[in-house]
Every structure is written in structure tokens, then in C-alpha cells.
Amino acid sequence: MSARARLLLGYGLLVLLGLGAPFLVYPVFAMNVLCLALFASAFNLLLGYAGLLSFGHAAFLGAAAYAAGYVTREWGLPTEAGLLAGVVVGASLGLVFGALAIRRSGIYFAMITLGFAQLVYFLAIQIPWTGGEDGFQGIPRGRLLGMVDLERPLVMYYFVYAVFLAAFWLIQRAIASPFGHVLRAIRENEPRALSLGYDVARYKLTAFVLSAALSGLAGALRAFVNQFAALPDLHWHTSGAVVLMTLLGGMGTVTGPSVGALLVGALENYLASLGSWVTVITGTVFVLCVLSFRRGIVGEVRALVKRSS
Amino acid sequence: MNRTRIPQLALALLAALPLAAAAAGVSDGVVKVGVLTDMTGAYSDLAGPGSVAAAQMAAEDFGGKVLGKPIVVISADHQNKADVASNVARRWFDQEQVDVVADLVSSSTALAVMPVAAQKKRITLLSGPGSDPITGDKCTAYNVHYTYDTYSLAHGTGSAVVQQGGKSWFFITADYVFGRTLEEDTASVVKSSGGKVLGAVRAPFPTADFSSYLLQAQSSGAQIVGLANAGADTVNSIKQAHEFGITPKQSLAGLLVFISDIHSLGLEASQGLYLTTAFYWDHDEESRKWAQRFFARTKKMPTMVHAGVYSEITHYLKAVQAAGTDDADAVMKKMKETPVNDFFARNGHIGADGLHRHDMYLARVKAPKDSKKPWDYYQILKTIPPEQAFPALAGSKCPLVKK
Amino acid sequence: MTQALFGQLLVGLINGSFYALLSLGLAIIFGLLDVVNFAHGAQYMLGAYLAWMGLTWLGIGYWVALFAAPAAVGLLGMAVERLLLRRLRGLDNLYGLLLTFGLALVVEGLFRQGFGISGNGYPVPPQLAGAKNLGFMVLPIYRAWAVAVSLAVCFASWLVIEKTRLGSYLRAGTENPQVLQAFGVNVPLMFTVTYGFGAALAAFAGVVAAPVYQVTPTMGSQVIIVVFAVVVIGGMGSILGAIVTGLGLGLLEGLAKFFWPEVSATVVFVAMALVLLVRPAGLFGRQK
């Protein structure tokens, strides 16, 4: 079988798995994993392809969740408007953060994004309508296009799955496009890319905004799945979690972050009864990954396949 | 018998079982109690594994069975995250036949789970969250707010301390919804009891260093420094107040304090602190007996949250017994009709809004020399009757309360 | 009003000197090893817990703990560098960050599992108990001691790194390790010792903090973000930067707590964002 056929088969199997998932596991868990996978894939656009580590991505996830909740619960707008609000809020924040953070690189870039995310967290605590510690409750799932009732778990799942596939396809296209190639060039050797005449800052900013917008989509989607938005969505632990997912699954691979999201989600869900041991296990996984599995699961599998063929 | 008949027969029997169970009144043939609490985070000491132990004690003491069906207690950690709590509760209701969720301990998780439970007609028994809207505009028909709420703490400590002579107050408040509500509630009670509020300062939540705020409290000259915060913030502010010599010239009033906090602080630092509690283990012979049994299991004395979990589950089981079914509507009706009379509450009543109105106690933390045995921390100054401690049903914002 | 303000400024200075001490280890490790040590908070917590465990289980007092805890954590740090971090030499320093982040999670998780979350009280050593009335405020003697020892240690570290032969080797090691190695200096050993020293400093701060704050497993992660901000503002490689910024931020926070308390937690991040926009390498940082 040719490489291309193998790739298509692999994708086909994954799509089938996704279609059957709500019958294998608890649907709400599956939906949450999809949202996390989208978040991680959006994050990976920035880390794996542009080479920029952001420690503040939780801001886009959380702010979008609150925005989506607000427009649907308070203004009574339909679910589609909520998703759009999430994307717009994510993109706008991304533009502001990005424009200021892009000038720096490495750890400085990470710290600036962290700083901005902390500001957003603080704002969320202060602004009265967010509900503060109690959270923004009672977000209605609504009806898709005014017809399809999203309150039913199975229906909601396939909706979330559809959005995920669409966004994933978008990310795939962005990575494979000339834009994606330039990003990789910038990651490998920024001075070279500059000398070749590319407007590096513009490319980085575009990647940042795209990543933020899709993170916003993930956040808004999650708000509808869980039917509330809460402060932990904005906490830097969430920013740390998405780094873990991307690293674990494989930075710089297209499907890696989704695999990482599935693993981290499963870890936290099924091992929840182990209490603090989950933190210990997560930390150990982190350490092992960095030492021996830097390519992440998908990266390692790919290397194995290459070696055997 | 023909080979195809056996499976058919088996199927028929299987189909009949749930019917049989329904006939007996207990759904799924079991009464399942889910203790959803914070096992590893900020509230794990005041609730957490202790709440699970309390629930297990309640089930065992009831005989392990109700209406001839077994009582099963399961538990999970919501890590203080509303989404985790909501998802666990959903899964419990949809897939694991859980009939009642207990504890929940924090307001955000409680507010997330209550609507889910109400939608699926299952009961939530809250021990630990404080938020007043739980029995106000966010109330549900399937919820019981059992142990305490912000109002009762504010009213207990506020009015009782003013009556004891602490007339001028300064607040150190944790700057989030809970802290601010606590400060507002207490301030209005202080004023209406004849006291004065000299000022307040809002510290970000959470804060480790309170020196700045304690200085402001000191320079205000207020007799009472009200700590409108909880958990680590309270522990840190008490410890540092001791360090800066705030006490004994000024007295501290902790607006939400658990015996687990005093235990980790030690009496040296916390002596003289005023607080309101729904339960104290050494209050009388009955509470002592129960607490010793709790101690034997967990090696710690129970907080009011733990005692509340035991009492609310026992009350629930008694209601199931009396109603002859675990159907949520019938059980809720019985729980609201029956007064609570056990070591936790004397003559406690659950109102139409779900709020359990019972005695609260004003206490003061003992000086080290007055403590005669381990965990001998509180001196109970006064019993506050429910009419004084809890809001009247008449003024309730809960839509279930008929005007 | 001015009396109260003086009191707040003094408190701010006290906190600032503590920030400076806390940031020192982080600045040293980044400046000399190019490693972003996310385990710094965990090492701080370890120091506090070792002091508490020493006192509660072995009867070891505060004064011994001040040396014993940092020594123990320093040794542990050296082991971490030798066995784990060394493998990441030459890679993007992102990996060092992620490794130390993972280690921090492991340590914090283990302690949370073992000790619960409420934490433990550590008493102020009797020789430093009590408070002095300065007129405009009551100053606990322990806090005065904390300032003194923090500033002393900061100054001593700065002296060693900037003014001594050993310090010059360390600084040379960052610029050009191969050349230094050619001169006969055991560069890998030097790196190991440096990381250990940074970890020991964190633990020392932990022992100093133990009598003031509750000793809890999460005390490290609560403080790590602010510490990072301090180091970033000061300039990631600059010892002097960390010290000056720590003090400055303590003062800034003190003022905020007096005039507008609700923002005092965020004022650090606002300051960080502003500084990085105007001076991208931090106040005292060198553009790499």
C-alpha cells in the first residue's frame, strides 16, 4: 500500500472511531476530549510550527467560554452566535497579546503571554457578571439552526465532532500551505527567513491570532458542552495542561496534540479517584517525555514506522 | 426446555426485575449515595475523605439496608472544579443509578450540580457550600442546603459578638464573591445590632501575606477585626495577626472557620478568635460519642461539614423509609415535613426553599492553658436559635416559596 | 496618614527583600546555565518542609535547619542536574523548562498526598519572637531578621558571582564553555554545583518563610509565578536585577495594597508587561 493510501486509511479509521465514540465511552467525556483536542491542536499551530511557546492560552479558552455564555444566556442569541462570539473574542485577545508579545522570543515571550493571561484572570474575578468563584452557570445549549435540539447528548456530540473536524481540517490546510512552510522556516532559522525577505513579525502574528481564534472556538464549544464557564478555564494550570498535551502527543505533528488531549483527559477522568497521585503521574510523564520521548507519541510512532519500512 | 426458551426466559426475568424493584419503591434495587467532594484541594481537610467516612458511618448505622434494599456509598473528587463536578454527577445519574449526591463543599460545584440533579429528578444534599442564592434565586426543588450558609455565619458572629461588647469592626475581606458577600452580610448585621463598621480592606484571593492589611486594621483602632475569608487565607491572616501583636488588644472574628483550621494553626496563634459553627464535637454527650467514633475511623475530630454529611444522609434514609420509596419528589416532601433531631441539630427544619434551619453556636477559641485534652479548642459562648441565625422564609427570593 | 504609609512602605520593603532572596536562585540558574528552573517553587517548599520535618520528627531547631535544609536540597539539585538536566544540554531551553515543570508537579503531588492541603504550622524561633513598637507600626522581630538575612545573602551571592575568581569562571562558562574547559576548568562539574547552589538558595528562602506562612505543599506554586515575573523584569541573567526588582516590586505592591488593594496581585504583571515593552531584555538584562 502506498504511503498516501496508508495515510488515508489511518485518517479514515480515526474518523470512524470518532463516530463510534459516544457508544464506547460516556458522551460528555468524549465531547470534553474533543474540545481539549481542538484547543491543543490550535496551540500546536503556535508551538510546533511557529516555535513559539505561549503560557497564556488559557485566556483565549476561558474568555471565549464566558463570551459564548453571555451572548446566549443574557442576550438570548442562538448557539451559532455564541460560537462566533467565542472565536471573535479569542481572535481579538490574540491580536492584542500577540502584537505586544511578538517582539520578544523564548522565555520572554512566554512570560509576557503569562502576564497577560493573569490580567484576564484578574478581570474575570472582578467583573460581576462572570459570577466569580461560583462561575457562569446555566448556559443553554439551544437549537442548531433553530431546528436541531442540542440538549440531547448524542446530537450534541455529533455537532461537536463536526465542528472539531472542520477546525482540524482548517489547521491541516494552514500547516500544509505556503504559510505553514514559512512558519516552519521561521522556527528553524529566523534570521535566515528574515534575510530571505519574509515579514517574520507579520507571519508570527497571523499564526498567533489564528491559534487564539481556534482556541476561542474550543472554549465556546466547551461552554456549551458543560453549560457553564468557570475560573479554572482561565487559570495558568490550564495553560500548562495544554503544553503537556501537545508535548505528550507530539509537537509539530498534526494529530499529536489530539492524542495528547485524549490521554490527558482520560488520565484525569479515570484516575480521578487516585487524588494527588494524578499530579505525580502527570509530572512523571512530563519528565519521561522530555528525556526520552521528545517527539511525543505520534512522533515516536511515525519514526518507528519509518524505520520499519 | 428448548434451547431458545432459556434465553427468552432469562430475558423475561431480567426485564421483570426493574419492575419488581419499582414495585418495592426503590429504583434499581439499591439506594446509592454519591459523596462528591474535594479530596485533594483546598477543602480536602474540612470535607474530603472525612465526608466519605461520615457517609459510610451513616449507611452502616442505618443497618446497611433501607426498605430491604442495600445502601451503597460511592465517592469522587471534584477537585473544586465545577465542570468536573457536573460531569461526574451527570455520569452518576445517567449510568450508575446514583439517587442522591452529598457534600459538594464548594459553592461553584454545588451551583453546577444542582440544575443537573433537578433536571434528572435526583436529590442534592449540600454540606459545606455557603452561597446564599443556593436557597435564594438559584434554588431547586430537589436540593437541601443542610449545614450552614453565609447568612447564618454573618448573623451568628455579627450580632452575637456585638452583643458581647465588640461594637466597632474592621474587615479584612477576600476579594471574591464569597468574601464580599460575607463582608456585606456581616456589616449590615453589625450595624443593625448597634455596632459600627470603621472600614474594610479587600485583599486579592488568595493572599499569602496579610501584613499590609493587618496594619490597616490596627490603625483603624477597631475592637473587632472581622476576617471575611476562608481556608488558607483565614489561617494565614490569623497566624500573622498573632505575629504582629494585633491580639489581644483587638479581637479577631473569623467569619468562616473550621476546627481543621484551628488544628493546623495551633491554640497559641488562634486563641481568642470568635467564630460561629453549626457543630462542635465536644458540645454534649451525644456529639462526643459520635465524634469519638468518627475519630476512631479518621484520626481527626469532625468538622461541621463532616457532621452535616452524616446527619443529612441519615435524615434522607429515614425519609426514604417513611415514604416507602426513593422517588425524589416523595422523599423531598418527607424530608421537609420531618424535623431533624440528632446529635447535629435539635429541632431542625428544612424549609420550602431547601434551607435547613437549626441552632448555630457562637464560640471562642481557648487559650492553650485552658485546653485540657487533644482537640479541646472551643468554648461555646452562646446558642443562636434558627430564627435569629437563618433568614425567614417569608423574604425568600426562591420561586418555590409560596408568598 | 503618613504614619500609616510609612508602615506600609516598611512592610513592602520587608516583602521585597524576601522576593529578592527568592528570585536569586532562579536568576543565577538562568543566567549561568540558561535553564528556566520551574522546580524553583518546589525546592522552596522542600526547604520549608525539611525544616518542619526536622523540628517535628528529629527535634532539629531553626538555626540548624537554616544550613541543613539548603544543604540537603542543594545536593538533591546537583543530582537532578547531573542525572536529568545534563541530557538536555544543547537543546532548546524549552525542554529544561518542561522537565523542571514536570519535577515540580511530582514533588508537589507527593507532598500533597503525604501531608494534605491545610499545611503545618512552624513556630517562630524563640530567640526571634515578639515584636517591637516602632511608633508608626508594630514590627515583629522575626520580620526584621528576615530582611537582614535576605539582604545579607543577596549581597553575598552578588559579591561571589561578580567579584570573585569562582564567579568569573561561572560567568565565563556561560559565554564560552569550550574555551573555559580548555583552560582546565571542569565546566560540567561547575554547572552541577551552580544548579545545586540555586536550589539551595530556594530552600533557604523556604526555611526563612516557614515561620511566617503556613508550610503547605502548594506554597511553592503559589509564589512561583510572581518570582518569575520579578526575574523577567529584572533581566533574566542579572543577579543585581533580581535583587533590585525584588525590592522595587515589594514596595510597589505595598503601595498598591494601601491605595488600591484589589489590584495588588496583578500589579506585578502589569509592571512586567510595561517593562518588557519598553526594555525588552528587562531592566538590567543583557541583550543576548
Side-chain angles (χ1 to χ4, degrees):
Chain A
M1 220 194 283
S2 75
R4 186 172 170 77
R6 264 210 298 257
L7 190 72
L8 277 176
L9 183 69
Y11 274 126
L13 279 170
L14 282 172
V15 171
L16 273 173
L17 190 72
L19 285 172
F23 302 103
L24 297 168
V25 294
Y26 187 54
V28 179
F29 166 69
M31 286 191 258
N32 268 310
V33 168
L34 283 175
C35 293
L36 286 177
L38 178 58
F39 183 39
S41 302
F43 179 77
N44 186 40
L45 200 64
L46 205 57
L47 178 63
Y49 292 95
L52 295 165
L53 172 66
S54 153
F55 254 146
H57 257 57
F60 311 129
L61 188 80
Y66 279 107
Y70 193 80
V71 304
T72 46
R73 197 189 80 181
E74 296 296 310
W75 292 347
L77 293 179
T79 317
E80 299 88 332
L83 286 179
L84 188 66
V87 172
V88 168
V89 166
S92 322
L93 276 178
L95 191 64
V96 173
F97 283 26
L100 297 168
I102 291 290
R103 299 144 162 244
R104 301 295 299 128
S105 59
I107 185 67
Y108 293 96
F109 174 82
M111 290 309 293
I112 295 185
T113 54
L114 175 64
F116 282 135
Q118 288 297 103
L119 284 171
V120 173
Y121 185 77
F122 169 73
L123 277 172
I125 295 182
Q126 291 300 311
I127 299 176
W129 63 257
T130 59
E133 287 292 307
D134 292 348
F136 191 87
Q137 312 274 352
I139 298 176
R141 282 195 186 158
R143 307 181 89 84
L144 186 62
L145 300 173
M147 293 184 302
V148 185
D149 181 16
L150 293 172
E151 294 284 343
R152 301 188 14 229
L154 224 58
V155 177
M156 184 67 193
Y157 174 81
Y158 285 116
F159 172 59
V160 171
Y161 191 51
V163 174
F164 170 77
L165 284 178
F168 189 80
W169 177 84
L170 187 69
I171 293 176
Q172 234 285 51
R173 298 272 57 194
I175 290 171
S177 72
F179 170 72
H181 282 107
V182 177
L183 277 185
R184 254 170 296 189
I186 294 174
R187 187 194 69 198
E188 301 290 327
N189 198 333
E190 191 170 321
R192 193 111 209 279
L194 256 172
S195 72
L196 285 168
Y198 287 108
D199 188 348
V200 167
R202 178 98 80 77
Y203 274 92
K204 281 187 183 175
L205 185 61
T206 312
F208 197 93
V209 172
L210 188 59
S211 174
L214 288 168
S215 301
L217 181 63
L221 211 55
R222 216 158 84 115
F224 289 120
V225 170
N226 291 323
Q227 298 193 267
F228 57 75
L231 286 177
D233 294 344
L234 289 164
H235 200 269
W236 63 269
H237 282 150
T238 307
S239 296
V242 77
V243 179
L244 173 64
M245 288 179 221
T246 311
L247 177 70
L248 184 59
M251 301 193 284
T253 65
V254 178
T255 48
S258 304
V259 173
L262 175 63
L263 268 152
V264 171
L267 198 89
E268 299 210 335
N269 192 52
Y270 292 110
L271 296 181
S273 53
L274 292 182
S276 290
W277 287 116
V278 179
T279 314
V280 179
I281 294 173
T282 310
T284 316
V285 169
F286 236 120
V287 172
L288 286 174
C289 260
V290 172
L291 287 176
S292 323
F293 297 111
R294 275 188 290 275
R295 286 177 288 208
I297 292 175
V298 174
E300 292 295 329
V301 166
R302 246 200 230 160
L304 257 162
V305 168
K306 253 198 205 126
R307 243 180 289 152
S308 64
S309 64
Chain B
M1 230 190 270
N2 184 316
R3 279 193 71 188
T4 53
R5 282 207 193 281
I6 299 177
Q8 280 176 341
L9 198 61
L11 227 64
L13 274 169
L14 274 170
L17 268 173
L19 283 172
V26 172
S27 62
D28 320 301
V30 69
V31 173
K32 233 186 208 177
V33 177
V35 181
L36 187 54
T37 181
D38 180 7
M39 296 287 230
T40 52
Y43 307 131
S44 50
D45 279 348
L46 62 95
S51 293
V52 182
Q56 283 163 342
M57 277 173 74
E60 286 165 22
D61 289 353
F62 206 81
K65 276 185 190 239
V66 67
L67 298 174
K69 297 285 177 278
I71 308 169
V72 172
V73 175
I74 61 173
S75 64
D77 179 8
H78 61 46
Q79 302 162 41
N80 254 332
K81 296 191 188 155
D83 54 323
V84 177
S86 160
N87 287 330
V88 172
R90 248 183 241 268
R91 200 183 62 221
W92 273 358
F93 295 143
D94 290 341
Q95 300 189 323
E96 300 195 38
Q97 307 100 36
V98 170
D99 300 298
V100 59
V101 171
D103 189 285
L104 282 167
V105 79
S106 76
S107 299
S108 65
T109 51
L111 286 168
V113 173
M114 278 162 58
V116 175
Q119 191 194 31
K120 298 183 190 282
K121 292 200 185 245
R122 308 295 168 98
I123 296 177
T124 44
L125 297 171
L126 306 181
S127 180
S131 187
D132 294 332
I134 288 176
T135 50
D137 56 356
K138 298 233 168 57
C139 70
T140 75
Y142 298 97
N143 182 56
V144 178
H145 195 179
Y146 200 82
T147 305
Y148 71 90
D149 68 354
T150 314
Y151 184 99
S152 62
L153 296 173
H155 280 255
T157 316
S159 61
V161 168
V162 170
Q163 280 160 25
Q164 295 255 331
K167 293 215 184 302
S168 58
W169 284 62
F170 184 92
F171 288 98
I172 297 179
T173 306
D175 191 27
Y176 66 124
V177 174
F178 172 75
R180 290 195 289 254
T181 319
L182 203 50
E183 181 205 310
E184 279 159 22
D185 281 359
T186 315
S188 70
V189 172
V190 164
K191 283 184 238 176
S192 59
S193 309
K196 275 193 304 184
V197 176
L198 298 178
V201 66
R202 301 246 174 98
F205 171 72
T207 295
D209 184 64
F210 284 87
S211 18
S212 238
Y213 312 114
L214 289 166
L215 274 189
Q216 293 179 44
Q218 225 168 22
S219 55
S220 76
Q223 289 166 296
I224 307 285
V225 177
L227 301 173
N229 51 25
D233 280 2
T234 307
V235 171
N236 272 327
S237 41
I238 294 174
K239 189 168 193 212
Q240 287 161 29
H242 176 71
E243 205 196 332
F244 276 81
I246 304 266
T247 51
K249 222 164 46 142
Q250 293 167 294
S251 290
L252 295 176
L255 293 169
L256 179 54
V257 180
F258 299 92
I259 199 164
S260 47
D261 299 325
I262 306 297
H263 187 69
S264 71
L265 268 168
L267 286 178
E268 178 63 44
S270 56
Q271 59 188 305
L273 176 76
Y274 284 108
L275 59 99
T276 300
T277 182
F279 172 80
Y280 179 49
W281 72 271
D282 202 17
H283 181 232
D284 60 20
E285 196 48 48
E286 256 198 272
S287 62
R288 256 193 296 278
K289 266 213 310 247
W290 182 80
Q292 306 287 16
R293 290 174 51 218
F294 183 88
F295 188 86
R297 271 192 194 234
T298 63
K299 303 286 167 281
K300 297 192 201 160
M301 278 301 178
T303 64
M304 58 173 156
V305 174
H306 298 145
V309 168
Y310 179 95
S311 178
E312 69 191 5
I313 292 180
T314 308
H315 189 68
Y316 168 81
L317 292 170
K318 285 191 191 152
V320 170
Q321 182 109 48
T325 171
D326 65 356
D327 167 67
D329 291 300
V331 176
M332 282 303 299
K333 189 156 173 291
K334 265 281 173 266
M335 284 206 285
K336 291 180 181 174
E337 281 171 1
T338 329
V340 179
N341 258 310
D342 62 4
F343 71 89
F344 177 78
R346 305 275 174 319
N347 235 354
H349 285 272
I350 301 174
D353 53 2
L355 183 60
H356 178 207
R357 292 169 171 78
H358 56 89
D359 288 336
M360 299 285 281
Y361 308 102
L362 178 73
R364 206 153 188 211
V365 176
K366 290 186 174 177
K369 60 174 166 52
D370 297 324
S371 170
K372 304 283 180 273
K373 53 189 175 185
W375 293 86
D376 179 15
Y377 297 152
Y378 294 176
Q379 184 200 358
I380 304 290
L381 297 175
K382 195 169 175 245
T383 303
I384 307 163
E387 312 83 61
Q388 230 192 310
F390 289 95
L393 257 181
S396 175
K397 292 209 195 95
C398 172
L400 293 169
V401 175
K402 297 182 192 24
K403 301 287 185 263
Chain C
M1 162 76 152
T2 30
Q3 273 224 336
L5 191 57
F6 271 146
Q8 295 296 347
L9 287 175
L10 185 57
V11 165
L13 220 57
I14 295 171
N15 283 336
S17 65
F18 188 70
Y19 281 148
L21 177 66
L22 206 51
S23 327
L24 204 56
L26 204 63
I28 289 175
I29 292 177
F30 186 80
L32 301 174
L33 288 162
D34 206 31
V35 168
V36 181
N37 183 27
F38 235 98
H40 190 77
Q43 286 153 352
Y44 161 75
M45 183 264 286
L46 266 175
Y49 258 105
L50 282 174
W52 179 84
M53 292 193 280
L55 182 69
T56 318
W57 298 344
L58 301 170
I60 296 175
Y62 176 81
W63 300 100
V64 177
L66 268 180
F67 294 98
V73 177
L75 283 169
L76 201 67
M78 295 208 293
V80 164
E81 204 284 335
R82 181 71 187 77
L83 298 170
L84 300 174
L85 279 169
R86 186 169 292 192
R87 303 199 191 190
L88 302 173
R89 293 239 122 244
L91 293 173
D92 197 312
N93 67 5
L94 162 70
Y95 291 108
L97 187 158
L98 292 175
L99 180 85
T100 51
F101 183 69
L103 286 173
L105 286 178
V106 173
V107 173
E108 190 184 298
L110 284 171
F111 271 79
R112 257 214 328 252
Q113 192 64 25
F115 288 97
I117 202 86
S118 277
N120 308 79
Y122 189 84
V124 174
Q127 300 86 349
L128 296 170
K132 244 180 121 79
N133 194 336
L134 298 176
F136 58 89
M137 68 172 270
V138 174
L139 178 66
I141 295 181
Y142 186 81
R143 299 251 176 168
W145 153 256
V147 179
V149 79
S150 303
L151 290 174
V153 171
C154 285
F155 184 65
S157 304
W158 175 81
L159 208 67
V160 166
I161 290 174
E162 294 293 325
K163 299 290 174 198
T164 66
R165 173 97 66 86
L166 174 65
S168 64
Y169 285 164
L170 287 171
R171 281 177 288 130
T174 356
E175 304 287 331
N176 207 328
Q178 289 95 337
V179 173
L180 192 63
Q181 183 93 31
F183 272 106
V185 178
N186 189 343
V187 174
L189 179 66
M190 207 175 64
F191 283 165
T192 306
V193 172
T194 309
Y195 186 82
F197 181 58
L201 275 174
F204 184 77
V207 180
V208 174
V212 178
Y213 306 124
Q214 267 308 72
V215 177
T216 70
T218 49
M219 65 194 288
S221 56
Q222 280 162 3
V223 86
I224 187 102
I225 295 292
V226 176
V227 173
F228 263 106
V230 168
V231 176
V232 167
I233 294 175
M236 294 242 10
S238 166
I239 316 294
L240 188 64
I243 298 174
V244 170
T245 312
L247 286 166
L249 267 166
L251 273 169
L252 187 64
E253 230 187 31
L255 285 171
K257 285 185 186 179
F258 186 70
F259 289 112
W260 197 6
E262 292 89 330
V263 284
S264 55
T266 3
V267 84
V268 176
F269 299 104
V270 176
M272 179 179 79
L274 288 171
V275 167
L276 285 179
L277 290 172
V278 174
R279 281 190 67 94
L283 290 172
F284 292 83
R286 293 158 251 143
Q287 279 276 26
K288 281 223 173 139

